[in-house]
Amino acid sequence: MTPRRERANCPPRTPSSPRGRGDVLRLGDKTNHGARLGLSDAELQFLDIGADAGARRIAFRRRACRDESRAGLVWLSGFKSDMASTKATALDEYCAKAGRALLRFDYSGHGASDGAFEDGTIGIWAADALTAIDALSEGPLVLVGSSMGGWIALLTALARPARVAGLLGIAAAPDFTETLMWAAMAPPERAALLRDGVLRVPSQYGEPYAITRALIEDGRTHLLLNAPIAIDCPIRLLHGQRDPDVPWETALRIAERVRAEDVRLTLVKDGDHRLSRPQDLLLLRETLASLLDQDGA
């Protein structure tokens, strides 16, 4: 019913407590801002965004690029996943060897970022992505989105077409709040969600998922697959045909809807939702290398 969560190695989140080591950047504070962008990826940092009731702190890690003429990468995590997941770590290792810039961050309510997960929506998490990209990256970018991150990547490409040079989706799940959550609910579950504002759904990964009415209703304002998607950059899609969470046919719908002509879909017959096995990570690296080599990106 819901996109699968990857294993995360992150400290417990306590919204009111400090995060430990790591610098804090604030939007609008230009003091030494450029220098801080070059800090080693080994150092966890934080970005303060918003104001008053909407203020929140986003955790991020940034790897500098050895060649500023080459496109950088942005990792966009899945639902309840974070920048410490298997694929995100593998992408960081790839960028370290290739000399590529990489920005990883946790949406609010995820990983090391502040906030309660239940307060999040697709709109809020997409805004987190745009804010982090605008404040913490430079030049052309290739977006790499996993599951929900694939939806966020598409929304980002629509919002920043001049900056997005390519997009790679891994079990990308646009519209999942409607097609995989709401559509799967029985009438009594829908009634409970509308009445109580939240529905807790059992998960094989531990604590139940908290699906909120706000998540569903906000998701409807960001649906993409029912109309053409005005994205023109090269797109690569990887999807396992044994994915129990997001049907592989979703990748076909993305390929059909985007305006771009340079779209390639790779189906992994025995692949699951995570696509985190060694052979899957090899496919990710090969696909990314091919995409980045296009037009000298």
Side-chain angles (χ1 to χ4, degrees):
M1 175 175 167
T2 56
R4 182 173 296 192
R5 178 182 184 178
E6 292 194 42
R7 180 182 61 83
N9 297 317
C10 58
R13 285 187 295 105
T14 308
S16 60
S17 66
R19 290 287 176 224
R21 64 188 305 268
D23 284 301
V24 177
L25 306 182
R26 293 175 177 81
L27 293 184
D29 180 5
K30 302 299 182 181
T31 305
N32 203 28
H33 191 263
R36 292 187 183 280
L37 290 184
L39 284 172
S40 166
D41 183 72
E43 185 166 357
L44 182 66
Q45 300 179 78
F46 300 91
L47 176 68
D48 281 346
I49 64 177
D52 301 326
R56 52 196 186 275
R57 178 164 292 181
I58 302 300
F60 72 94
R61 297 180 186 270
R62 185 184 188 275
R63 183 174 293 282
C65 180
R66 292 199 297 264
D67 182 351
E68 294 183 359
S69 67
R70 308 171 78 193
L73 282 74
V74 177
W75 171 256
L76 298 164
S77 301
F79 188 71
K80 297 201 76 174
S81 187
D82 55 51
M83 61 179 169
S85 68
T86 302
K87 291 192 292 293
T89 302
L91 183 63
D92 178 62
E93 294 171 353
Y94 172 87
C95 288
K97 293 178 181 178
R100 294 273 182 180
L102 173 64
L103 172 63
R104 295 184 284 160
F105 64 93
D106 290 334
Y107 311 114
S108 55
H110 288 70
S113 291
D114 283 349
F117 172 79
E118 291 79 3
D119 293 336
T121 63
I122 299 301
I124 289 173
W125 297 327
D128 288 346
L130 285 176
T131 301
I133 286 170
D134 289 346
L136 304 171
S137 70
E138 300 172 347
L141 300 171
V142 171
L143 309 178
V144 184
S146 176
S147 194
M148 181 184 77
W151 189 359
I152 301 296
L154 292 168
L155 293 171
T156 301
L158 287 169
R160 299 289 185 273
R163 294 207 56 198
V164 178
L167 190 154
L168 195 163
I170 308 164
D175 301 5
F176 76 86
T177 54
E178 191 71 13
T179 61
L180 302 181
M181 289 182 169
W182 180 256
M185 293 180 192
E189 292 176 310
R190 292 182 177 182
L193 176 65
L194 295 176
R195 181 187 65 245
D196 302 331
V198 63
L199 181 69
R200 300 195 180 276
V201 178
S203 168
Q204 60 180 309
Y205 309 109
E207 61 187 34
Y209 287 121
I211 301 175
T212 66
R213 178 173 178 171
L215 177 68
I216 298 297
E217 293 180 346
D218 173 84
R220 289 175 180 149
T221 69
H222 300 285
L223 300 179
L224 296 176
L225 294 180
N226 293 324
I229 304 173
I231 295 176
D232 297 300
C233 68
I235 295 174
R236 301 293 179 266
L237 301 169
L238 308 178
H239 214 119
Q241 288 189 278
R242 295 179 183 171
D243 186 337
D245 301 302
V246 181
W248 60 266
E249 290 87 354
T250 302
L252 292 178
R253 293 191 65 194
I254 296 171
E256 291 170 350
R257 290 299 189 185
V258 293
R259 192 167 62 190
E261 292 293 331
D262 186 359
V263 180
R264 302 176 193 175
L265 165 61
T266 300
L267 296 176
V268 183
K269 187 171 183 178
D270 64 343
D272 61 7
H273 183 65
R274 296 184 182 189
L275 288 182
S276 292
R277 302 169 301 176
Q279 61 267 40
D280 300 325
L281 298 178
L282 176 60
L283 175 62
L284 170 61
R285 291 192 295 269
E286 292 175 343
T287 303
L288 188 57
S290 176
L291 178 60
L292 289 169
D293 283 343
Q294 287 196 186
D295 301 323

